[in-house]
């Protein structure tokens, strides 16, 4: 690898992030604009940029702030939003997505960012990066705008798998804790288990079992277990990490997005209703912008695949430069904190087959 | 029964609704104020009011519009929000909730309204009213503010039961269709099955089976089956009735409510930020009120228990007069349309044991 040297974790050199430049709805121009925005704020940030070399070289050349900070890896193929995961796994070797993930596999970067097809990205990540020892089901975690001090809660799984047994839910709790600690700087996260009531006798059998498993790990893994939480706590201030199966998590995520989008549209309608309300909307412009910034999905733009040998950040397909920049900054934060290694250590230390091994304390207390 | 004569359904006389006056967070005064509001708009509406007679007589006497339209049924006991359902089922015979449900059981009214403890109300309704023939699991349906022409979608189950197999989901589709037709006036509802993707191969096994079962009933039961829908479609314009198990439905409902509440609070904060934004909020007052009215949970205040011999409308525990009035109007609408009988006929006509019986067309086309 020329020009870039990944010394992530020891704090002495650049932080390298692997970027899939293709597959987003807005094409590579938005991706390059996004990494340029992120680069402006972080002088140590470097990029491995995957896609058609000629096109990318032209786009990067226009951005002075990217000079000497991007290494382009030629990949002619593009995974489209319509491609089936199985198809991409068979025939996708020449794609930018495959290439971007393989940079993590090869150890050139610890984190990869893509705006592409979620199903294909998850499938490729699974086969190329493989599951971490001790992890049965990897998970996708998202940030949820909330009343918590950090402004966000972590929810997982939001759709990597539609099933999760009690032990999977324990793994999610550990992975989510690690993510909150390293990605969001919350030293001692509060973990909640999503259910239909907060009483201990309620809910499905696997949830009662998971309740006990997670509670038993709280002290060793340095989190506070707040027990069962409800849907209303997702945007609340009760837990920083909310654990659920991928079916429920996916429905909740899309319900929340849909609700926010409906309210946003109704708000616009309300302000367009009369001359007076239009005047009001002009006066309220900066207030409404502040609100939008607070719950802007572009800013909570990193769905993160957890439980693999390396971390993959899925940015929204429709992400613009601001959205890509947010995903890249999250990736940088995770790379800087040595997240991938710490997560692996945490999961291994509590895996059933390693249950008698001494706990690895590498992760605890070392918050960014 | 003195003074009141329930001729619901034949259009010739008063419509009687049974009301549990106790158990709401705001006490019987809010309930009496609410039925008074509803009575103002509907000259044919009559009430059976259950609770401590002396207290209720005093409250009703203050409302001239209720004169001669309320029959008070003395019940000294009150089910509190803390009471356990099992306890209420054993010892709750003297409560207003029990008495209100028993008026439906006795055929004095077809619909009952309560602001009380949901768990207890569901449990009592189950044992006193019993399940309809052909219904394995009763369900709770709610109205969800949406982009649909009616302004609302129906979702069920939101928590009567945490499990639902494919045949239960079919029953929910039939009950939800009947509710949309008789409660909302949608002659030919669109029905969707909640899943994590809209492709037919996705999701849990029972969902694939339910997909086929529901699709096969669509023509006979006069609804359009739109197939799988996602969380984002709950507030959308894709389906009028959205079917899911009570675990997922409860999480989705509370997630939606929590999201709306967070946005509402952030909006208030945004408008309180500066002098200019405070001025804007004054100018925008009527617009914001319009918006609030559109998504006001007090107006979508009727969780409805379906699948029993009689209909029970659960109003929000914190409901004020406006909230109670909305629940009573919904109850009136359901009573007027003969909903309970039509639902029973619909479910019976498609129950497995009655599969070869000729379809009962009582319900179709007769929209209010």
């Amino acid at each position: 690898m020329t020009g870039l040297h990944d010394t992530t974790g020891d704090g002495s050199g650049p932080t390298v992030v692997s970027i899939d430049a293709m597959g987003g709805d807005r094409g590579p121009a938005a991706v390059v604009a996004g990494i340029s925005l992120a680069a402006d704020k972080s002088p140590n940030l470097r990029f491995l940029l995957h896609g058609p070399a000629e096109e990318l070289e032209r786009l990067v050349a226009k951005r002075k702030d990217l000079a000497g900070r991007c290494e382009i890896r030629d990949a002619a193929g593009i995974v489209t939003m319509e491609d089936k995961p199985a198809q991409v796994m068979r025939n996708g070797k020449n794609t930018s997505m495959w290439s971007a993930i393989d940079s993590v596999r090869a150890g050139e970067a610890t984190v990869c960012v893509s705006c592409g097809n979620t199903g294909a990205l998850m499938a490729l990540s699974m086969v190329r990066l493989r599951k971490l020892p001790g992890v049965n089901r990897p998970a996708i975690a998202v940030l949820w705008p909330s009343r918590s001090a950090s402004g966000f809660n972590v929810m997982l799984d939001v759709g990597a798998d539609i099933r999760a047994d009690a032990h999977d839910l324990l793994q999610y709790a550990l992975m989510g804790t690690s993510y909150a600690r390293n990605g969001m700087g919350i030293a001692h996260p509060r973990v909640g288990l999503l259910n239909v009531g907060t009483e201990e006798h309620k809910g499905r059998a696997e949830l009662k079992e998971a309740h006990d498993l997670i509670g038993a790990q709280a002290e060793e893994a340095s989190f506070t277990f707040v027990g069962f939480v409800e849907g209303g706590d997702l945007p609340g201030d009760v837990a920083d990490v909310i654990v659920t199966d991928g079916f429920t998590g996916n429905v909740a995520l899309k319900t929340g997005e849909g609700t926010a989008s409906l309210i946003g549209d109704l708000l616009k309608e309300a302000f367009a209703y009369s001359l007076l309300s239009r005047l009001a909307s002009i006066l309220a412009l900066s207030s409404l912008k502040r609100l939008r910034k607070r719950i802007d999905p572009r800013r909570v733009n990193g769905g993160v695949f957890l439980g693999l040998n390396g971390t993959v950040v899925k940015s929204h397909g429709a992400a613009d430069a601001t959205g890509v920049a947010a995903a890249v900054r999250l990736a940088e934060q995770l790379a800087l904190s040595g997240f991938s290694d710490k997560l692996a250590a945490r999961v291994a230390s509590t895996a059933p087959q390693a249950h008698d091994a001494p706990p690895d304390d590498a992760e605890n207390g070392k918050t960014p």
Side-chain angles (χ1 to χ4, degrees), chain A:
Chain A
M1 179 173 182
T2 56
L4 305 180
H5 177 63
D6 185 9
T7 51
T8 297
D10 64 9
S12 67
T15 304
V16 181
V17 177
S18 177
I19 309 273
D20 172 14
M22 314 307 287
D25 300 345
R26 295 167 190 249
V31 174
V32 172
I35 65 172
S36 163
L37 273 180
D40 283 348
K41 302 213 172 173
S42 296
N44 282 329
L45 198 50
R46 302 288 182 277
F47 305 98
L48 289 172
L49 201 58
H50 305 260
E54 212 173 305
E55 189 176 359
L56 295 184
E57 269 156 18
R58 207 169 351 100
L59 288 167
V60 169
K62 285 187 208 159
R63 308 268 169 184
K64 281 186 194 143
D65 46 10
L66 291 180
R69 299 173 65 179
C70 263
E71 187 176 312
I72 289 164
R73 298 289 172 88
D74 188 41
I78 298 174
V79 177
T80 70
M81 290 296 176
E82 289 71 39
D83 286 339
K84 296 262 168 278
Q87 196 180 327
V88 176
M89 280 160 72
R90 265 196 317 273
N91 309 319
K93 211 165 177 179
N94 73 333
T95 61
S96 58
M97 187 183 277
W98 187 296
S99 178
I101 292 168
D102 265 22
S103 278
V104 174
R105 181 183 158 106
E108 297 180 305
T110 57
V111 185
C112 157
V113 176
S114 173
C115 307
N117 182 328
T118 306
L121 186 62
M122 187 78 211
L124 271 190
S125 300
M126 285 276 283
V127 295
R128 300 306 293 165
L129 301 181
R130 299 272 174 96
K131 290 187 280 189
L132 278 175
V135 171
N136 178 32
R137 301 187 204 274
I140 304 176
V142 293
L143 295 181
W144 193 293
S146 79
R147 298 178 201 266
S148 292
S150 67
F152 298 100
N153 294 334
V154 174
M155 176 170 72
L156 75 168
D157 172 30
V158 300
D161 202 312
I162 54 168
R163 273 165 303 264
D165 65 18
H167 194 264
D168 297 330
L169 293 168
L170 167 63
Q171 297 289 358
Y172 294 174
L174 297 170
M175 298 195 294
T177 298
S178 200
Y179 177 39
R181 193 172 284 142
N182 296 288
M184 301 165 74
I186 302 172
H188 202 92
R190 297 163 298 170
V191 175
L193 184 59
L194 192 60
N195 199 347
V196 294
T198 54
E199 299 88 355
E200 289 196 21
H201 63 277
K202 276 200 169 179
R204 296 169 169 159
E206 74 265 27
L207 289 179
K208 290 171 212 170
E209 196 190 336
H211 188 283
D212 296 342
L213 284 177
I214 296 172
Q217 287 290 340
E219 200 183 329
E220 189 181 319
S222 298
F223 63 82
T224 301
F225 183 49
V226 301
F228 290 137
V229 298
E230 297 190 271
D233 298 317
L234 285 167
D237 186 20
V238 168
D240 305 297
V241 175
I242 290 156
V243 169
T244 189
D245 66 274
F247 184 91
T248 310
N250 186 277
V251 168
L253 175 66
K254 289 182 176 165
T255 300
E257 286 176 347
T259 303
S261 152
L262 174 67
I263 295 175
D265 288 355
L266 291 175
L267 199 60
K268 262 183 232 153
E269 259 175 49
F271 276 117
Y273 188 77
S274 68
L275 201 65
L276 201 67
S277 62
R278 261 173 276 167
L279 179 63
S281 76
I282 294 166
L283 289 179
L285 208 61
S286 68
S287 300
L288 293 175
K289 272 193 186 155
R290 247 191 322 275
L291 171 62
R292 186 174 298 270
K293 200 170 166 183
R294 177 80 162 73
I295 57 166
D296 188 347
R298 296 179 310 173
R299 295 171 56 88
V300 279
N301 192 15
V304 180
F305 297 171
L306 304 175
L308 305 172
N309 293 295
T311 305
V312 177
V313 175
K314 166 67 176 77
S315 183
H316 202 285
D320 58 7
T322 306
V324 172
V328 171
R329 272 196 292 272
L330 174 62
E332 180 193 16
Q333 172 64 46
L334 293 174
L336 265 174
S337 66
F339 171 63
S340 295
D341 289 346
K342 287 176 181 170
L343 175 65
R346 167 56 57 206
V347 169
S349 77
T350 49
Q353 63 270 38
H355 212 67
D356 297 320
D360 184 330
D361 274 328
E363 191 200 1
N364 301 331
K366 268 205 202 172
T367 58

